[in-house]
Amino acid sequence: MINTEAMQFWQAVTTALAEKNPSKKCELVNQLMATDWHWDFLLEEKNYPVVTPQDEIVGIPDKPLLVAPQAVPKRAFSTPEGYAATFHAIAHIEFNAINLGLDAAWRFGLAAQQELGQGMAFVKDWLRVAHEETYHFGLVNQHLQSLGYQYGDFEAHSGLWEMAQATAHDIWQRMALVPRVLEARGLDATPPLQEKMAQRKDFRAVEILNIILNDEIGHVAIGNHWYHTLSEKRQLDPLTSFTELLRQYRIVIFKGVINTDARLQAGFTQFELDWIKEIEDSLKAERQKIKI
């Protein structure tokens, strides 16, 4: 039978995950991480919730309006509205990242304990990620407000969460495709965005993105760690297995400039990056043949 502290802990996790209001969600995560848990209860499988792939309790705010990625209106970065919309998109990513961290801990903690005997480390890692994402969301939303807007004022898409739903059945696939693909794209996108913001002399924005970039390197590294640990445990080759996932989900990893230094810091190897680039080029060629 699950012990009392474990019940209180998971209640705090699920309450934060289910909360729809962004500010309240951040507050609940901060309270969760400020509590002096003993953590030892995570050494026993009985003290984890049993979650099925169909179970979903994530709190999605009423705003922003979620649309398909291609339906998000294109706004010129050079206009005040377009510039604010860019920050809104970043805020949306950071808000989703809070839910992703909480969901990983809640959904896959038991799997990490059963498969690796490392449930405590896994849960603590992803709750720390969620906690840091609340800080990022606060920084971005505050700056968005200084531009005359707030989170929810623009349309957004739910690509990040759709991938979370698609990988809800398997801890290995979640680690492979969310931190290593979707979140790692932010490592590539941030420096060019910082250059544009510096040209606008918005140096506070550049500073905020620098804070986020440094932390996100750590978050992607956590995903890389668990992906490789799980791959080893399952006796899967991490490169060829990852290639199969890219084909299965029809995913493009690299979009534009690659931030090689950040990716290396986040646990990718140069050999792996070269391998992925080669695979992506071959997949693009295959898709072109299909179109012809």
Side-chain angles (χ1 to χ4, degrees), residues 144-159:
L144 180 62
Q145 290 169 352
S146 76
L147 300 175
Y149 296 87
Q150 60 185 352
Y151 182 55
D153 283 350
F154 297 94
E155 297 89 342
H157 71 79
S158 55

Side-chain angles (χ1 to χ4, degrees), residues 5 10 13 16 90 92 159 175-176 218 259 280:
E5 186 177 17
W10 289 114
V13 172
I90 298 170
H92 185 63
M175 295 300 103
N259 189 345
E280 290 216 318

Side-chain angles (χ1 to χ4, degrees), residues 41-250:
F41 55 82
L42 291 176
L43 297 174
E44 298 184 62
E45 290 182 16
K46 69 175 185 178
N47 290 324
Y48 288 84
V50 177
V51 183
T52 71
Q54 293 73 37
D55 293 333
E56 185 170 308
I57 59 172
V58 63
I60 304 296
D62 297 329
K63 291 184 176 181
L65 174 66
L66 299 180
V67 298
Q70 61 271 22
V72 177
K74 304 296 183 184
R75 297 179 173 90
F77 187 85
S78 58
T79 66
E81 183 185 47
Y83 188 62
T86 298
F87 255 90
H88 187 275
I90 298 170
H92 185 63
I93 291 169
E94 299 304 323
F95 178 79
N96 273 275
I98 300 170
N99 280 334
L100 288 167
L102 292 170
D103 185 76
W106 170 69
R107 183 176 302 279
F108 295 120
L110 177 58
Q113 182 62 21
Q114 290 176 330
E115 192 165 346
L116 303 171
Q118 298 183 48
M120 181 194 298
F122 183 88
V123 169
K124 290 176 80 170
D125 268 354
W126 289 107
L127 290 185
R128 178 166 63 83
V129 169
H131 190 216
E132 290 178 356
E133 299 292 8
T134 65
Y135 176 54
H136 298 170
F137 176 79
L139 289 174
V140 176
N141 198 37
Q142 185 179 45
H143 197 68
L144 180 62
Q145 290 169 352
S146 76
L147 300 175
Y149 296 87
Q150 60 185 352
Y151 182 55
D153 283 350
F154 297 94
E155 297 89 342
H157 71 79
S158 55
L160 266 173
W161 195 253
E162 287 171 0
M163 182 56 75
Q165 291 172 318
T167 56
H169 64 290
D170 184 24
I171 183 176
W172 177 78
Q173 288 198 18
R174 174 68 67 86
M175 295 300 103
L177 298 179
V178 173
R180 281 170 47 85
V181 175
L182 299 187
E183 295 190 71
R185 283 178 186 162
L187 306 182
D188 301 329
T190 297
L193 200 51
Q194 286 178 301
E195 290 181 15
K196 290 183 178 180
M197 290 171 175
Q199 290 171 5
R200 292 179 63 99
K201 301 190 184 304
D202 189 350
F203 299 114
R204 175 55 181 161
V206 175
E207 181 184 7
I208 289 171
L209 290 194
N210 208 47
I211 292 170
I212 293 174
L213 176 61
N214 288 333
D215 286 346
E216 291 300 337
I217 288 172
H219 298 174
V220 176
I222 287 171
N224 260 322
H225 165 74
W226 290 111
Y227 171 72
H228 284 284
T229 301
L230 287 158
S231 295
E232 182 178 358
K233 179 66 175 180
R234 296 185 182 189
Q235 297 183 323
L236 296 171
D237 180 84
L239 288 180
T240 56
S241 299
F242 189 61
T243 300
E244 290 169 8
L245 285 179
L246 297 183
R247 290 181 183 276
Q248 177 184 341
Y249 286 90
R250 300 180 64 84

Side-chain angles (χ1 to χ4, degrees), residues 22-46:
S23 298
K24 181 63 174 176
K25 184 183 290 285
C26 292
E27 181 183 325
L28 288 170
V29 173
N30 291 335
Q31 289 174 359
L32 168 68
M33 298 306 289
T35 302
D36 186 22
W37 306 106
H38 289 114
W39 298 104
D40 288 359
F41 55 82
L42 291 176
L43 297 174
E44 298 184 62
E45 290 182 16
K46 69 175 185 178

